C-alpha cells in the first residue's frame, strides 16, 4: 500500500475533472462547445487512468486520503489492480464513445437538449469512476446514485416516447437496488462501526456468523444484482438499452454493468475477503443457477427478437451471466475469467451497438426486416457488426474466445466439467442470434422501397470509434497476454485483499 | 404482567418495527400500484424507512445531541445522521427526476396509469 | 524459397500470400475482371511454389517451425511443417491452381453474381487450409479450422436463393455446433489434462487419461471435427451441394473435408499416439462407426439421382475410409490414410469438375439424363471414368494404392471387420459409378421429351476450354500418381517414422 501525497492528486482528479466539467457544459450551452469539453475531458481522463494503471502495476495499491484525514474518519480513495482495470475500461469506453456521440446525438436528441446530454455523460462518467476508486462503502453509494441518476436522464433523451417509460422503470428498479445497498451498508455499520472497506475487511470475520451480517450480505447482493441486471433482476435493461439514444446504449452497456460487477467482486472478495464466504453461505449454488439461467434464457429470448438493439440487450444479460459464473467459481482462475470478460465484452458489445447506431443514423432501420440487404448498402458498418458478433459467439481471434477459454479452463480446473459444456452450449445460441442478423444483412435482397442511395454516408467520427472497438476486439483476441496478465494480477489482488 | 414484559422487550426496538413496516409498505406500493405517481410515493416511503433506520442506529441510550458541552458525557453517534443528510439529498434528486419523467410521460402518452401505457406501447412498432 | 527467404519466412508467407492475393482481387474488382482473375491465378501459382519449396527439407527430416504470435501466455499460434501437413498443403495449394482455372470458365459461362466476393473467400479458405496443414499445435489448428468454416459460408450461400440460405444454415449449424460444442471442449480437456497442445510424435496424452475417458475424448474429437463428416453429422455435405461447382470442388477435394480427415489423422497420430490407443482399453468404437459410415453412405449414394448429391454421399463414404484407416491403428494403414487423402482429392475433384462441366454445357443435373453424353463430351466423361475408377479403387488409378495399404494394415492388425467393409464398399462403389459410365458411352441419347424445351439438352458440345483443361489435368494426376506415387508415399512413410 502506497500513500499518495496531496501533491500527486491524479487519483482524485480522475473523479473531480469530469464532475466539474459537467456544469461547465451546462454553462456553455452550445452543442459544439459542450461536445468539445466532454471529449477533451474524456481523453484527459483516459490519460490519467492509463497513468494510474501503470502506477498501480509498478508500485502496488495506491491510497489517497481526502483532505488529509485518516480513515475511518476521512474518506480514502484506494486503487488496486482490479479497480485500475475497471477505471481503464470505463475511461477508454468514454473516450471512444464521445467522438462517436457527436453525429449520432445530433440525429437522435433534440438540439436544445444536447448540452444537457454531454453534462449527463460527464456526470455518469464521474460516478462510474468514483465507484471504482473509492475505499468507502457509503461514498460508493453516492457515486452509484450519481451515475444512476444521470443514466436515467440519458435514457429518457431517446427519440421514441417509450424511452421515457423505460427510464422511469429503470429509475424505480435502480433506486430500489441502491436503497437495498445502503440498507446492507447500514447493517454492516451497526455491527462494525465503520464504513471504510479496509476496516470492514478486518472486522467482519469477528461478527460474520451473526444474522445481521447475513442480512447485510443478502441486501448488498440483491441491491447490486439489480444494478448489474443479473437474471432475474434484469427486467429494466432490455427496454432501457433499446430506446436510449445509440451513444447512450453503447456507453451504458460497456460500462455501467461492468462497474456493478466490480462492486459485487469488491463485496464478495474484499469486504468479506477474510471470511470464507462461499463455505459459510449458500452463495455458490445461487449465483451459479442465476448465471446459467441468464446464459440460456436471455440468449433464447434474444433469438426471438426482431429489434436488433433489443436482441443485443438480451445478449448483454446473457453475457453478464458469464461474468457472474466466473465469480461464482471463487477461484483465481474463475475471477480472472470474469474480469477479462468485463473488458472483452465491453469491446465487443460496444462495437456491436455502435454499428447498429450507425445503421440507425444512416437509415433509421433497427429491425431485422429493414436490415435486409444492409450488407450491400453499408458494407463497412455491417462488417464491423460481424466482427463484433463473432466475438459474442466466441470465435477464435476475437476477444470473446479468450474470455470463453479462460472461463472454461477455470471451470475444468475446479472440476465442474458440466459447466464447461454449458458455456459452450450457450455460445451456440449466440451463433443463432448473430446469424439471424448476418442472413438478413447479406443474403436477403434490398427491399424495393428502400433507397440504395442512403448507403454508407456515416461520418468518420462514427466509423472510427466503431472500428477502434471492433479492431481492439480482434487485437485482444490475438494477443491477449497483456490483458490476461492484468486479469490474473487483479484476481490475485482480489483474493489477497487490498 | 406477561404482556407488559413482552411489550417492554419488543417495544424497546419499536423504531425498528416502524422501519420494517414502512419499508414493506413502501415496497408493496411500488410493486402493486399501477399509477406512476403512487409508485413514486411508495418509493419515497421506502427510502424514508431507511433514513429512520440510520437515525435509530446512531442514537445512543441516554445520549444527547453530539455537541461538546460541560456535563454532557454520553453523545449520540453523529455519523449516521450526517450520512442520512446525504441520502436525503440523493432521495430528493431521485424523486425530482421521477416526477419530471412522470410529467413527460403524461405529455407523451396522455396517461400515468401503467396498464394503459403498456397497452399503448404494445401496439407500437419497433422503429428507432 | 529460391534462396531468398528463410524457411520461417516461407512458412509465414505461405499463410499470408493468399490473403495478399485476396486484397489484390478486392482492389481490382469487377471492373478489371481479367486482371482480377490473373491475380488469382498468379497467387495460386506462387502459393504452390512456396509450399513446394519446403518439401525437400521436410523429406530430409527437418521440421521447419515458426511462431506467428502468442495468443495467451504459453499458448502460441505456431506453424510447424511435418510430413502429413506437407502432403495436405501440397494438395490444397496445387489443386487450387487447377480449381482457379476451372472457376474462371465456370463462373463466366454461368454468369454468376458477386464473383469478386467469390474469389476473395476462396483465398481466405486456402489460407486457412494451409494454416490447418501447417498447424503446430491444436490451438492453431482450431483457429484456422474455424476461419475455414466462416470463409466458406459465403461460398455455400453464393446464389443467395432460399435453398442456398437453408443449405448455408445446415452447413454452418452443423460445423459450428460440432466445433464449438465438441472440438473446443476436447481441446480444453486435453490442455487441462496435459498442459500442452503441441503436436508431438507419439502423442501427448500418454497415460494421463484412461479407459472410458479415452473413449469419451475420442468421441469429442471425432464428432467435433464435423468436417470429417462421420455419420450422423454428415448432413452438411449434401446440404452444401447448392453451391456452385467450383465451391463443391473446394469443399470436397481441395480444402474442407480434407481439413477434416487431416485433423482426424493428426489428432490420432500426434495427440493420442498410436501406441497409447493400441494399449488402452477404449473398445475402438471409431473403427465400427467409420465402417458403418462407409457402407451406409454408399447405400444412400446408390439411390441418388442428382449427380452432385450422389458424389456428395460418395465423399462421405470415402472420408470414412480415411477415418477407418486411421482407426485400424497400424502404421501401414496410417500410410494408407494419408495416401487416401491424396487419392480422394484427385479423384473427387475430377468427378466434380466433370459434373460442373456437364451442367455448364447441357444444364443437366440428373444421372438419368446422362445417356449417351459421352459422345458429346468425350474428354469430360473419360475424366469422369478415371475419377470413378479411383473411387472404386481399381488400377491404374491412385485409389488402388491407398486401398492396398489400408487392407495391408487391416490384415496386419487382423481386423477382418475392416477388410469386409472395404470389400463390400468396393462393390457398392462400383455399382453406383459404373452404370453412369456405361450409360454415358454405350447407351443412346434419349429423345427429347414433349415438355422438355431446354435449348441445350440435346444440343451441346464440351464445356469451355478452361474447364475441360482443368478436369483433364486432375484426371491425369489420378493416373500419374498410380505410376509414380513415390513423393506422397515418402511423406506418408515419414509420418509413421518409416
Amino acid at each position: 500500500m502506497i500513500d499518495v501525497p496531496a501533491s500527486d492528486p491524479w487519483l482524485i482528479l480522475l473523479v473531480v475533472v469530469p464532475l466539474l466539467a459537467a456544469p461547465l457544459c451546462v454553462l456553455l450551452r452550445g452543442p459544439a462547445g459542450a461536445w468539445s469539453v466532454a471529449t477533451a475531458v474524456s481523453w484527459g481522463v483516459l490519460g490519467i487512468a492509463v497513468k494510474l494503471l501503470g502506477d498501480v502495476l509498478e508500485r502496488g495499491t495506491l491510497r489517497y486520503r481526502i483532505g488529509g484525514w485518516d480513515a475511518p474518519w476521512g474518506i480514502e480513495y484506494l486503487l488496486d489492480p482490479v479497480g485500475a482495470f475497471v477505471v481503464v475500461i470505463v475511461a477508454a469506453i468514454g473516450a471512444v464513445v464521445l467522438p462517436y456521440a457527436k453525429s449520432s446525438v445530433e440525429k437522435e436528441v433534440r438540439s436544445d437538449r444536447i448540452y444537457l446530454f454531454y453534462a449527463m455523460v460527464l456526470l455518469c462518467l464521474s460516478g462510474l469512476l468514483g465507484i471504482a476508486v473509492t475505499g468507502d462503502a457509503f461514498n460508493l453509494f453516492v457515486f452509484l446514485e450519481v451515475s444512476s441518476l444521470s443514466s436515467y436522464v440519458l435514457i429518457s433523451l431517446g427519440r421514441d416516447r417509450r424511452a421515457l417509460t423505460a427510464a422511469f422503470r429503470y429509475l424505480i428498479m435502480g433506486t430500489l437496488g441502491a436503497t437495498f445497498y445502503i440498507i446492507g451498508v447500514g447493517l454492516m455499520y451497526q455491527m462494525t462501526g465503520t464504513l471504510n472497506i479496509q476496516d470492514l475487511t478486518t472486522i467482519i470475520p469477528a461478527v460474520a456468523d451473526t444474522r445481521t451480517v447475513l442480512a447485510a450480505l443478502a441486501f448488498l447482493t440483491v441491491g447490486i444484482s439489480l444494478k448489474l441486471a443479473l437474471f432475474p433482476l434484469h427486467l429494466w435493461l432490455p427496454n432501457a438499452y433499446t430506446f436510449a439514444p445509440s451513444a447512450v446504449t453503447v456507453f451504458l452497456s460497456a460500462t455501467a454493468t461492468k462497474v456493478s460487477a466490480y462492486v459485487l467482486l469488491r463485496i464478495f472478495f474484499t469486504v468479506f475477503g477474510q471470511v470464507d464466504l462461499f463455505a459459510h453461505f449458500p452463495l455458490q449454488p445461487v449465483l451459479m443457477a442465476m448465471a446459467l439461467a441468464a446464459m440460456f434464457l436471455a440468449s433464447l429470448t434474444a433469438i426471438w427478437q426482431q429489434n436488433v438493439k433489443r436482441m443485443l440487450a438480451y445478449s448483454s444479460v446473457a453475457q453478464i451471466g458469464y461474468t457472474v459464473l466466473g465469480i461464482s467459481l471463487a477461484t483465481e482462475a474463475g475471477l480472472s475469467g470474469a474480469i477479462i470478460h468485463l473488458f472483452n465484452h465491453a469491446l465487443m458489445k460496444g462495437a456491436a451497438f455502435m454499428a447498429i447506431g450507425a445503421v440507425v443514423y444512416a437509415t433509421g432501420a433497427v429491425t431485422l426486416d429493414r436490415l435486409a440487404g444492409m450488407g450491400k448498402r453499408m458494407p463497412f458498418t455491417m462488417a464491423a457488426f460481424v466482427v463484433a458478433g463473432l466475438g459474442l459467439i466466441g470465435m477464435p481471434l476475437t476477444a470473446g474466445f479468450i474470455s470463453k477459454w479462460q472461463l472454461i479452463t477455470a471451470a475444468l480446473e475446479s472440476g465442474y466439467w458440466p459447466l464447461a459444456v454449458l458455456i459452450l452450449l450457450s455460445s451456440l445460441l449466440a451463433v443463432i442470434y448473430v446469424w439471424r442478423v448476418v442472413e438478413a444483412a447479406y443474403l436477403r435482397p434490398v427491399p424495393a422501397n428502400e433507397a440504395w442511395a442512403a448507403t454508407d454516408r456515416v461520418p468518420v467520427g462514427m466509423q472510427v470509434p466503431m472500428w477502434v472497438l471492433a479492431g481492439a476486439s480482434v487485437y485482444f483476441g490475438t494477443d491477449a497476454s497483456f490483458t490476461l496478465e492484468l486479469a490474473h494480477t487483479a484476481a490475485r489482488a482480489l483474493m489477497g485483499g487490498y | 404482567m406477561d404482556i407488559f414484559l413482552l411489550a417492554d422487550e419488543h417495544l424497546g426496538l419499536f423504531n425498528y418495527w416502524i422501519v420494517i413496516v414502512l419499508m414493506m409498505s413502501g415496497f408493496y406500493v411500488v410493486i402493486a400500484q399501477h399509477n406512476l405517481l403512487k409508485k413514486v410515493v411508495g418509493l419515497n416511503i421506502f427510502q424514508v424507512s431507511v433514513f429512520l433506520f440510520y437515525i435509530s442506529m446512531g442514537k445512543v441510550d441516554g445520549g444527547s445531541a453530539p455537541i461538546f458541552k460541560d456535563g454532557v458525557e454520553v453523545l449520540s453517534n453523529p455519523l449516521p445522521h450526517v450520512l442520512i443528510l446525504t441520502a436525503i439529498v440523493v432521495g430528493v434528486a431521485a424523486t425530482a427526476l421521477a416526477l419530471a419523467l412522470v410529467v413527460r410521460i403524461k405529455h407523451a402518452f396522455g396517461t400515468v396509469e401503467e396498464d394503459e401505457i403498456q397497452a399503448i406501447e404494445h401496439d407500437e412498432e419497433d422503429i428507432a | 524459397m529460391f534462396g531468398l527467404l528463410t524457411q520461417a519466412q516461407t512458412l509465414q508467407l505461405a499463410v499470408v500470400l493468399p490473403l495478399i492475393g485476396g486484397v489484390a482481387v478486392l482492389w481490382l474488382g469487377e471492373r478489371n475482371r481479367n486482371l482480377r482473375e490473373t491475380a488469382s491465378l498468379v497467387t495460386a501459382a506462387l502459393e504452390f511454389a512456396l509450399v513446394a519449396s519446403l518439401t525437400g527439407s521436410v523429406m530430409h527430416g527437418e521440421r521447419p517451425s515458426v511462431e506467428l504470435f502468442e495468443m495467451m501466455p504459453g499458448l502460441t499460434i505456431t506453424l510447424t511443417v511435418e510430413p502429413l501437413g506437407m502432403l495436405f498443403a501440397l494438395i490444397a495449394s496445387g489443386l487450387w491452381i487447377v480449381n482457379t482455372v476451372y472457376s474462371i470458365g465456370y463462373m463466366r459461362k454461368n454468369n454468376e453474381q458477386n464473383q469478386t466476393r467469390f474469389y476473395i473467400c476462396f483465398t481466405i479458405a486456402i489460407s486457412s487450409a494451409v494454416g490447418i496443414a501447417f498447424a503446430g499445435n491444436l490451438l492453431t489448428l482450431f483457429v484456422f479450422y474455424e476461419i475455414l468454416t466462416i470463409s466458406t459460408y459465403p461460398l455455400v450461400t453464393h446464389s443467395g436463393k432460399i435453398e442456398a440460405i437453408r443449405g448455408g444454415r445446415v452447413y454452418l449449424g452443423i460445423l459450428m455446433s460440432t466445433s464449438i460444442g465438441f472440438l473446443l471442449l476436447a481441446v480444453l480437456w486435453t490442455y487441462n489434462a496435459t498442459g500442452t497442445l503441441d503436436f508431438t510424435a507419439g502423442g501427448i496424452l500418454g497415460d494421463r487419461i484412461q479407459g472410458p475417458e479415452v473413449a469419451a475424448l475420442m468421441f469429442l474429437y471425432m464428432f467435433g471435427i464435423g468436417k470429417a463428416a462421420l455419420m450422423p453429422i454428415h448432413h452438411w455435405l449434401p446440404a452444401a451441394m447448392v453451391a456452385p461447382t467450383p465451391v463443391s470442388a473446394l469443399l470436397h477435394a481441395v480444402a474442407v473435408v480434407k481439413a477434416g480427415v487431416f485433423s482426424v489423422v493428426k489428432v490420432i497420430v500426434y495427440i493420442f499416439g498410436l501406441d497409447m490407443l493400441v494399449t488402452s482399453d477404449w473398445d475402438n468404437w471409431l473403427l465400427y462407426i467409420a465402417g458403418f459410415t462407409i457402407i451406409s453412405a454408399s447405400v444412400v449414394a446408390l439411390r441418388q439421382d442428382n449427380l452432385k448429391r450422389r458424389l456428395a454421399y460418395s465423399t462421405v463414404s470415402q472420408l470414412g475410409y480415411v477415418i477407418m484407416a486411421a482407426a485400424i491403428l497400424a502404421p501401414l494403414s496410417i500410410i494408407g490414410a494419408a495416401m487416401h487423402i491424396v487419392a480422394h482429392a484427385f479423384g473427387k475433384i475430377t468427378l466434380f469438375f466433370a459434373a460442373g462441366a456437364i451442367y455448364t454445357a447441357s444444364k443437366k443435373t440428373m444421372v438419368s439424363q446422362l445417356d449417351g453424353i459421352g459422345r458429346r463430351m468425350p474428354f469430360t466423361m473419360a475424366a469422369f471414368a478415371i475419377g470413378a475408377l479411383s473411387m472404386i479403387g481399381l488400377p491404374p488409378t491412385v485409389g488402388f494404392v491407398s486401398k492396398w495399404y489400408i487392407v495391408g494394415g487391416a490384415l496386419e492388425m487382423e481386423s477382418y471387420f475392416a477388410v469386409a467393409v472395404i470389400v463390400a464398399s468396393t462393390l457398392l462403389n462400383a455399382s453406383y459409378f459404373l452404370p453412369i459410365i456405361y450409360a454415358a458411352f454405350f447407351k443412346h441419347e434419349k429423345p427429347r421429351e414433349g415438355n422438355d424445351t431446354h435449348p441445350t439438352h440435346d444440343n451441346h458440345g464440351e464445356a469451355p476450354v478452361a474447364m475441360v483443361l482443368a478436369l483433364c489435368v486432375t484426371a491425369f494426376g489420378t493416373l500419374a500418381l498410380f505410376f509414380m506415387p513415390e513423393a506422397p508415399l515418402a511423406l506418408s512413410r515419414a509420418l509413421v517414422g518409416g
Side-chain angles (χ1 to χ4, degrees), chain C residues 424-454:
Chain C
S425 95
T426 303
L427 293 175
L428 282 167
N429 285 348
S431 53
Y432 62 79
F433 275 125
L434 293 181
I436 301 177
I437 301 169
Y438 174 78
F441 285 109
F442 300 109
K443 281 196 185 170
H444 286 285
E445 198 162 335
K446 280 182 197 158
R448 188 184 270 271
E449 283 170 22
N451 55 357
D452 181 2
T453 54
H454 202 286

Side-chain angles (χ1 to χ4, degrees), chain A residues 376 390 393-398 401-402 404-406 408-409 412-413 417 420-421 423-425 427-428 431 435 438-439 442-445 476-482 484-485 488, chain C residues 69-73 75 77 114 117 139 142-144 146-147 150 153 157-158 160-161 164-166 168-169 172-173 176-182 184-185 187-189 191-192 197:
Chain A
K376 284 215 175 111
L390 291 176
I393 298 170
M395 277 291 114
L397 301 188
T398 65
F401 179 71
I402 307 291
K404 236 149 250 184
W405 182 278
Q406 190 58 34
I408 295 171
T409 312
L412 287 175
E413 240 173 54
W417 63 265
V421 177
I423 292 172
L424 291 171
L425 285 182
S427 19
L428 293 180
V431 177
W435 232 260
V438 171
E439 271 189 8
Y442 288 95
L443 295 174
R444 281 200 226 138
F476 289 110
T478 47
D479 183 7
S481 295
F482 174 69
L484 265 178
E485 203 52 54
H488 282 307
Chain C
F69 52 88
E70 188 174 49
M71 188 189 257
M72 288 174 269
L75 287 170
I77 298 298
N114 298 325
R117 185 178 78 189
L139 183 66
F142 182 76
V143 168
F144 284 111
E146 292 293 43
I147 300 176
I150 292 172
Y153 173 79
T157 56
H158 186 82
K161 294 191 190 116
I165 296 179
R166 288 221 186 93
R169 265 183 214 162
L172 194 79
M176 262 203 188
S177 50
T178 51
S179 71
I180 295 178
F182 296 148
L184 183 55
L185 188 63
V187 172
L188 277 154
W189 184 356
Y191 185 58
N192 195 46
L197 289 176

Side-chain angles (χ1 to χ4, degrees), chain B residues 1 11 13 15 17 25 47 60-61 66 70-71 78 80 83-85 87 93 95 101 103 105 107 110 124-125:
Chain B
M1 184 62 192
L11 283 182
L13 297 171
N15 35 2
W17 283 109
S25 30
Q47 286 182 308
V60 176
D61 271 345
D70 288 341
L83 294 179
I84 260 5
L85 278 180
T95 310
L101 284 175
V103 171
I105 288 173
H107 278 303
E124 253 167 77
E125 271 184 62

Side-chain angles (χ1 to χ4, degrees), chain A residues 37-331:
Chain A
V37 169
T39 308
V41 166
S42 72
W43 289 0
V45 162
L46 178 60
I48 299 176
V50 170
K51 179 208 170 332
L52 285 172
L53 178 66
D55 281 3
V56 168
L57 292 181
E58 190 185 322
R59 296 158 65 192
T61 303
L62 305 177
R63 173 162 65 184
Y64 184 90
R65 286 165 300 163
I66 293 177
W69 293 88
D70 273 325
W73 295 283
I75 292 173
E76 51 181 28
Y77 281 3
L78 288 169
L79 196 68
D80 69 347
V82 203
F85 197 20
V86 172
V87 162
V88 169
I89 296 175
V90 173
I93 296 293
V96 182
V97 165
L98 275 162
Y100 176 87
K102 189 171 192 301
S103 315
S104 174
V105 162
E106 272 166 15
K107 203 130 188 176
E108 293 185 38
V109 177
R110 262 174 50 184
S111 58
D112 57 335
R113 290 186 187 141
I114 287 181
Y115 71 99
L116 288 174
F117 173 89
Y118 291 113
M120 285 301 146
V121 169
L122 286 175
L123 272 187
C124 192
L125 185 64
S126 168
L128 293 170
L129 292 169
I131 294 173
V133 297
T134 186
D136 183 282
F138 196 85
N139 193 231
L140 198 154
F141 161 74
V142 176
F143 281 126
L144 195 65
E145 281 299 64
V146 169
S147 65
S148 301
L149 286 170
S150 46
S151 56
Y152 309 146
V153 178
L154 286 171
I155 290 166
S156 75
L157 289 173
R159 266 191 318 185
D160 195 297
R161 60 177 170 176
R162 278 169 293 179
L164 295 173
T165 44
F168 185 82
R169 270 177 214 137
Y170 183 21
L171 185 145
I172 298 285
M173 301 275 261
T175 309
L176 284 179
T179 312
F180 267 51
Y181 175 81
I182 37 170
I183 295 172
V185 170
L187 290 170
M188 283 200 303
Y189 181 73
Q190 248 182 337
M191 296 308 293
T192 62
T194 181
L195 292 168
N196 182 289
I197 290 177
Q198 266 186 297
D199 281 351
L200 284 170
T201 313
T202 49
I203 304 176
I204 289 267
V207 292
D209 289 323
T210 59
R211 200 177 293 176
T212 316
V213 169
L214 179 58
L217 179 65
F219 273 113
L220 291 172
T221 309
V222 173
I224 295 304
S225 300
L226 259 169
K227 306 282 326 175
L228 176 65
L230 175 58
F231 188 90
L233 303 173
H234 65 284
L235 296 173
W236 57 268
L237 187 142
N239 266 354
Y241 282 14
T242 309
F243 298 117
S246 303
V248 175
T249 310
V250 175
F251 184 65
L252 291 183
S253 71
T255 57
T257 50
K258 314 292 171 248
V259 171
S260 307
Y262 163 81
V263 179
L264 205 61
L265 284 169
R266 243 327 150 233
I267 293 168
F268 287 164
F269 299 100
T270 305
V271 174
F272 286 85
Q274 303 293 319
V275 187
D276 197 355
L277 199 59
F278 287 71
H280 261 69
F281 307 109
L283 210 48
Q284 189 162 37
V286 174
L287 284 179
M288 248 176 219
M290 297 294 146
L292 289 173
M295 281 157 52
F296 282 90
L297 297 179
S299 298
L300 281 173
T301 320
I303 292 173
W304 298 104
Q305 300 307 316
Q306 280 298 313
N307 182 321
V308 178
K309 269 174 104 178
R310 187 179 275 120
M311 181 201 92
L312 290 174
Y314 275 107
S315 151
S316 278
V317 177
Q319 301 283 336
I320 289 161
Y322 288 116
T323 306
V324 174
L325 192 71
I327 296 176
S328 75
L329 290 171
T331 59

Side-chain angles (χ1 to χ4, degrees), chain B residues 54-72:
Chain B
Y54 268 73
I55 293 168
S56 316
M57 191 197 320
K59 172 71 179 164
V60 176
D61 271 345
S64 78
I67 301 166
F68 286 112
K69 206 176 129 190
D70 288 341
V72 177

Side-chain angles (χ1 to χ4, degrees), chain C residues 23-38:
Chain C
V23 174
V25 167
L26 176 66
W27 180 62
L28 291 166
E30 199 65 47
R31 266 170 244 140
N32 310 300
R33 46 192 279 181
N34 290 331
L35 274 177
R36 176 188 69 192
E37 279 141 34
T38 313

